């Protein structure tokens, strides 16, 4: 349990030596935007083109190229279960926004659609604790005919590892929780899809996964061969995932974030996320883009406005926004700052929702991001646990 000994209700406790700037005004002086006002006014002006496919337009997806016998796999749209919030009990009032986290903003999506689409998986371009990420190509000849007149960005498919279908549901929950930030702070999200396969099915994305997982802090496991490493070209691609040097992750998860975890899913349950494809990572051993630290801090501040804690501020989880040359959809302005960012955050399987004050979030974000940005020109990837 977090100790609040030594805290005071004085606002000075929340001031930092270099306050984050918000529209050229220090954060402590930024005007507060009512979430009710935000959902009714600002969000109504943040729209994709009229013929863009809605995030909830699909009822199922067919994947080809995922089984050894070339049998297509049909997955139906799923609804992620709500996650238990992390509440700061006993904290001073200035450190929290109330007894409960802020409510999810009203959705701007139309009623769920019944479109179907067919995707062919390509190369693996990323991997992380709970899934692997693949290039995806839409086969319009096998999809709903309406799609030929609609606009979709380039896509990737994140496939759950064996036993981790439920953890991928957690990530899906936060993509839906942050609907208003899709296309501006996080990639566009086109749904969670699930199915159950027969134990005898040779599901190719699980080729290196152990059937009986090795216990660990995360409940994660290594690949059977221990050699499932990405190529240099793949590591430069838009991974939309946490692309570690090894397939297991040594990040130590606090019990705060695992208190609502369920038992691992059966090894026959497959979950996938369909996401917008992003760009490259921040450069290593090269000069960084001007203002990158302030931009990343502002991006994380947008998450904090929704009460969402990423719990995974890492180099691997920051990718550049899609290039206008590669995507028919524009980068959208932030509903909180009206800025258009050049970077996106990914990998929310570790996230949680909290009643923590956004300024308290900022103190931690500032420290980790500052160390991360400082070390990259030297070719060093700083990790939060270093």
């Amino acid at each position: 349990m977090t100790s609040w000994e030594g805290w005071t209700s004085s606002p000075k406790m929340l001031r930092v030596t270099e306050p984050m700037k918000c529209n050229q005004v220090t954060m402590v002086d930024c005007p507060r935007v009512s979430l009710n006002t935000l959902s009714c006014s600002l969000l109504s002006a943040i729209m994709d083109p009229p013929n863009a496919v809605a995030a909830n337009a699909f009822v199922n997806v067919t994947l080809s190229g995922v089984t050894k016998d070339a049998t297509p796999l049909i997955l139906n749209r799923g609804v992620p279960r709500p996650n238990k919030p992390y509440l700061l009990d006993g904290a001073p009032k200035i450190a929290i926004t109330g007894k409960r986290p802020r409510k999810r903003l009203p959705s701007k999506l139309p009623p769920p659609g019944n479109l179907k689409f067919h995707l062919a998986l390509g190369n693996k371009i990323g991997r992380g604790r709970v899934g692997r990420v693949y290039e995806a190509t839409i086969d319009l000849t096998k999809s709903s005919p309406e799609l030929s007149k609609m606009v979709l960005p380039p896509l990737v498919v994140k496939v759950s590892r064996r036993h981790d279908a439920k953890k991928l549901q957690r990530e899906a929950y936060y993509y839906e929780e942050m609907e208003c930030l899709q296309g501006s702070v996080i990639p566009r999200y086109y749904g969670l899809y699930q199915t159950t396969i027969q134990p005898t099915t040779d599901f190719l994305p699980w080729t290196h996964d152990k059937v009986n997982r090795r216990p660990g802090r995360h409940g994660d496991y290594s690949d059977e061969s221990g050699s499932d490493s990405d190529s240099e070209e793949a590591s430069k691609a838009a991974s939309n995932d946490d692309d570690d040097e090894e397939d297991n992750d040594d990040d130590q998860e606090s019990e705060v974030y695992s208190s609502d975890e369920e038992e691992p899913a059966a090894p026959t349950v497959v979950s996938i996320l369909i996401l917008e494809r992003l760009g490259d990572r921040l450069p290593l051993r090269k000069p960084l883009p001007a203002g990158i630290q302030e931009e990343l801090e502002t991006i994380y501040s947008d998450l904090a406005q929704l009460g969402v804690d990423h719990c995974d501020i890492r180099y691997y989880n920051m990718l550049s926004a899609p290039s206008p040359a590669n995507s028919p959809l524009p980068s959208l302005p932030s509903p909180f700052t009206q800025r258009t960012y050049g970077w996106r955050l990914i990998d929310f399987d570790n996230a949680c929702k909290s009643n923590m004050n956004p300024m308290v979030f900022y103190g931690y974000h500032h420290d980790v991001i500052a160390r991360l940005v400082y070390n990259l020109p030297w070719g060093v990837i700083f990790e939060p646990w270093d």
Side-chain angles (χ1 to χ4, degrees):
M1 180 61 67
T2 303
S3 172
W4 295 99
E5 182 179 356
W7 275 74
T8 173
S9 59
S10 169
K12 294 181 180 179
M13 289 297 296
L14 296 181
R15 290 182 179 270
V16 291
T17 55
E18 296 179 6
M20 182 178 66
K21 293 182 179 180
C22 173
N23 293 336
Q24 305 304 314
V25 183
T26 59
M27 176 60 76
V28 291
D29 297 324
C30 278
R32 297 300 181 199
V33 178
S34 164
L35 291 185
N36 290 332
T37 302
L38 176 69
S39 63
C40 295
S41 60
L42 293 182
L43 288 184
S44 63
I46 303 173
M47 302 287 289
D48 277 331
N51 60 338
V53 176
N56 62 347
F58 301 105
V59 66
N60 66 35
V61 58
T62 301
L63 292 183
S64 62
V66 293
T67 59
K68 194 170 184 178
D69 62 3
T71 301
L73 194 64
I74 300 176
L75 301 95
N76 295 315
R77 182 98 188 201
V79 179
R81 68 181 182 89
N83 284 284
K84 182 180 178 182
Y86 170 44
L87 301 179
L88 301 181
D89 297 327
K93 290 184 177 180
I94 195 170
I96 59 176
T97 56
K99 294 183 178 179
R100 304 289 299 177
R102 289 170 170 169
K103 293 182 179 180
R104 179 183 294 189
L105 293 176
S107 175
K108 307 296 289 187
L109 294 174
N114 59 356
L115 298 180
K116 302 177 181 180
F117 70 147
H118 193 288
L119 292 176
L121 291 195
N123 294 328
K124 186 186 72 167
I125 56 175
R127 64 186 179 192
R129 284 182 298 265
V130 302
R132 297 181 176 90
V133 179
Y134 297 84
E135 296 174 328
T137 303
I138 303 174
D139 187 342
L140 291 176
T141 65
K142 299 178 181 179
S143 304
S144 295
E146 295 91 333
L147 278 179
S148 61
K149 300 179 181 179
M150 305 177 80
V151 177
L152 269 172
L155 301 174
V156 295
V157 174
K158 184 172 184 176
V159 182
S160 64
R161 293 178 183 266
R162 194 191 304 266
H163 297 284
D164 281 334
K166 290 182 179 178
K167 289 189 176 182
L168 206 62
Q169 286 188 46
R170 182 188 186 98
E171 184 166 7
Y173 175 80
Y174 285 102
Y175 274 114
E176 296 186 8
E177 183 74 26
M178 298 183 289
E179 177 191 319
C180 69
L181 298 181
Q182 292 180 29
S184 61
V185 170
I186 60 177
R188 292 173 173 89
Y189 157 86
Y190 293 94
L192 165 74
Y193 300 86
Q194 297 177 297
T195 193
T196 301
I197 60 177
Q198 296 297 320
T200 56
T201 301
D202 197 345
F203 187 56
L204 296 179
W206 290 353
T207 299
H208 296 287
D209 288 348
K210 292 181 179 180
V211 175
N212 297 314
R213 67 189 311 159
R214 185 186 71 200
R217 289 293 297 269
H218 276 296
D220 290 336
Y221 47 85
S222 301
D223 283 351
E224 190 75 53
S225 66
S227 61
D228 185 22
S229 59
D230 294 331
S231 66
E232 182 179 357
E233 291 78 17
S235 69
K236 293 180 180 179
S239 67
N240 278 24
D241 201 8
D242 178 24
D243 189 13
D244 291 343
E245 293 181 1
E246 297 182 75
D247 235 14
N248 63 311
D249 194 292
D250 60 358
D251 181 14
Q252 295 191 355
E253 180 181 8
S254 166
E255 62 181 16
V256 166
Y257 306 126
S258 60
S259 60
D260 62 332
E261 288 291 327
E262 296 183 2
E263 291 298 318
T268 54
V269 178
V270 179
S271 289
I272 69 169
L273 303 182
I274 299 178
L275 300 163
E276 175 183 35
R277 183 166 183 169
L278 302 178
D280 296 330
R281 296 194 178 97
L282 287 163
L284 283 171
R285 300 182 182 89
K286 296 179 181 179
L288 295 176
I292 184 62
Q293 179 176 334
E294 187 270 341
E295 179 168 331
L296 290 174
E297 290 175 356
T298 308
I299 287 172
Y300 271 98
S301 178
D302 283 359
L303 262 64
Q305 292 295 329
L306 298 178
V308 174
D309 189 352
H310 192 189
C311 303
D312 218 0
I313 305 178
R314 304 181 65 196
Y315 168 78
Y316 301 106
N317 297 335
M318 303 169 182
L319 296 175
S320 62
S323 165
N326 297 328
S327 177
L329 298 181
S331 289
L332 302 177
S334 161
F336 296 104
T337 66
Q338 293 299 292
R339 288 175 56 178
T340 301
Y341 304 126
W343 299 90
R344 302 284 185 269
L345 304 179
I346 58 170
D347 203 1
F348 292 94
D349 63 278
N350 237 15
C352 72
K353 195 163 184 181
S354 172
N355 61 340
M356 189 184 295
N357 186 301
M359 276 304 297
V360 181
F361 274 122
Y362 169 67
Y364 171 70
H365 295 162
H366 172 81
D367 179 66
V368 176
I369 293 171
R371 295 186 187 192
L372 174 68
V373 170
Y374 174 82
N375 282 282
L376 290 181
W378 301 93
V380 176
I381 298 176
F382 170 79
E383 297 285 17
W385 52 84
D386 287 346

